[in-house]
Amino acid sequence: MLWWPRYGVTSVCGLRREMEDAVSIRPDFLRGSGGGGKHHFFGVFDGHGCSHVARMCQDRMHELIADEYTKAGGSGKEGASATAAEPKWKEAMERGFARMDGEAASWAATRSGKDDDLACRCVRQKPARCDHAGSTAVVTVVGPTSVVVASAGDSRAVLSRGGVAIPLSVDHKPDRPDELERIQAAGGRVIFWDGARVLGVLAMSRAIGDGYLKPFVTAEPEVTVTERTDEDECLILASDGLWDVVSNEMACEVVRACFRSNGPPPPAGARPDSGVLPAPAAAAAAAGREEERGAAAAVKGVDRAESDRACSEAALLLVKLALARRSSDNVSVVVVDLRRVS
């Protein structure tokens, strides 16, 4: 059983003034739950309006989901099939996202502009507009036999299986037929202003935070539980800074090319002997920028030296590709190696 995940991550500010993306990687985040193999948490959060909601998700989401999974009766054991495990994971993800949304709302309600807990621009505004900020959230739990994905917003998870790109989440755009129907049923409107937007403001229909747009914008995630197979190659999590300019198929092909050039994965249970994940400034320089503003805390949860060479090269290459294609957003990419080793 793989006790340490093989992954790579790159997160850069890109052409934006501020870094509002956040990435969380928490190996073995269900430790102490007993049972067989390890479960590893990966999350990408794309903030809007301010960075504080994304950073709160980065710090807390894995803890809330682990707590709710335990309350739902999950033990971390992998004896059950993905179908049997789905109800517990669905409950855990939905309640975890709801609690995260509640914490974001509580934080926003207590800000007066005098606190300096987080030096973010919404607190400095007069009056403070902390409830005008939010974040997408796409999180995955990779276990020995299944991949669980929960998503709210337009960050995306894509699985490469047998050379085929399989989306494990569907972007929550306001003009998606079912989302449009839900918004209108709640009394809201979707207005086309530089694209479809909830009340002409937000270009996504689900997110953590955004208290001023509720109930039209909900934090309820869509959850999928996918059984792992021997044909699985990689999992890609990324903010829309990548997906706006790179297709699912192209992203998976880039990762597969990096895997081919780096050879087979290391033996199961082996820990990488050296990490190659570039620091934010190095990643920015490689992408043609002098300095990466605000990205020092963009990734949390692991020592960067634990990254895997092939996955790190793939994540960096995808970010460089997005910037070369003139992505105007922050770009954050996580690549997880799902190849089995005999």
Side-chain angles (χ1 to χ4, degrees), residues 175-210:
D175 57 347
R176 204 178 92 177
D178 56 339
E179 291 294 283
L180 176 61
E181 183 179 359
R182 179 185 60 77
I183 293 166
Q184 292 176 338
R189 295 179 60 195
V190 174
I191 299 173
F192 286 81
W193 181 268
D194 189 25
R197 297 176 180 269
V198 178
L199 301 187
V201 178
L202 191 63
M204 67 201 70
S205 55
R206 301 195 190 196
I208 305 293
D210 296 302

Side-chain angles (χ1 to χ4, degrees), residues 172-337:
H172 294 117
K173 298 294 189 182
D175 57 347
R176 204 178 92 177
D178 56 339
E179 291 294 283
L180 176 61
E181 183 179 359
R182 179 185 60 77
I183 293 166
Q184 292 176 338
R189 295 179 60 195
V190 174
I191 299 173
F192 286 81
W193 181 268
D194 189 25
R197 297 176 180 269
V198 178
L199 301 187
V201 178
L202 191 63
M204 67 201 70
S205 55
R206 301 195 190 196
I208 305 293
D210 296 302
Y212 75 115
L213 288 175
K214 296 195 180 303
F216 318 125
V217 173
T218 177
E220 181 179 354
E222 289 187 306
V223 183
T224 62
V225 180
T226 304
E227 191 165 351
R228 293 182 60 178
T229 74
D230 291 338
E231 290 189 317
D232 291 349
E233 295 154 332
C234 69
L235 177 69
I236 305 172
L237 301 180
S239 57
D240 66 334
L242 175 74
W243 303 120
D244 284 346
V245 294
V246 177
S247 68
N248 296 349
E249 293 75 16
M250 178 171 290
C252 290
E253 179 53 39
V254 167
V255 176
R256 288 194 295 268
C258 289
F259 283 180
R260 288 193 296 268
S261 65
N262 280 274
R271 206 161 171 167
D273 56 2
S274 64
V276 295
L277 179 64
R289 292 176 56 81
E290 295 181 359
E291 182 179 2
E292 188 45 56
R293 300 183 300 276
V299 181
K300 284 188 178 180
V302 295
D303 184 339
R304 290 173 181 265
E306 302 295 353
S307 60
D308 175 76
R309 178 177 300 275
C311 293
S312 294
E313 288 183 0
L316 179 58
L317 187 55
L318 285 172
V319 167
K320 292 172 68 175
L321 177 60
L323 296 182
R325 292 189 165 200
R326 299 188 178 276
S327 175
S328 60
D329 207 345
N330 303 145
V331 187
S332 297
V333 179
V334 177
V335 175
V336 184
D337 189 347

Side-chain angles (χ1 to χ4, degrees), residues 97-239:
F97 272 55
R99 286 177 61 183
M100 188 72 256
D101 189 56
E103 290 188 9
S106 297
W107 189 91
T110 60
R111 299 305 100 177
S112 64
K114 299 179 181 180
D115 302 88
D116 49 12
D117 305 343
L118 294 172
C120 49
R121 68 176 183 269
C122 63
V123 174
R124 297 193 297 268
Q125 292 178 359
K126 302 294 183 180
R129 295 181 176 270
C130 298
D131 65 339
H132 284 54
S135 176
T136 71
V138 58
V139 305
T140 184
V141 175
V142 178
T145 64
S146 65
V147 176
V148 184
V149 172
S151 174
D154 56 7
S155 296
R156 191 183 308 165
V158 177
L159 170 70
S160 178
R161 172 177 289 174
V164 177
I166 303 173
L168 298 186
S169 66
V170 180
D171 299 354
H172 294 117
K173 298 294 189 182
D175 57 347
R176 204 178 92 177
D178 56 339
E179 291 294 283
L180 176 61
E181 183 179 359
R182 179 185 60 77
I183 293 166
Q184 292 176 338
R189 295 179 60 195
V190 174
I191 299 173
F192 286 81
W193 181 268
D194 189 25
R197 297 176 180 269
V198 178
L199 301 187
V201 178
L202 191 63
M204 67 201 70
S205 55
R206 301 195 190 196
I208 305 293
D210 296 302
Y212 75 115
L213 288 175
K214 296 195 180 303
F216 318 125
V217 173
T218 177
E220 181 179 354
E222 289 187 306
V223 183
T224 62
V225 180
T226 304
E227 191 165 351
R228 293 182 60 178
T229 74
D230 291 338
E231 290 189 317
D232 291 349
E233 295 154 332
C234 69
L235 177 69
I236 305 172
L237 301 180
S239 57

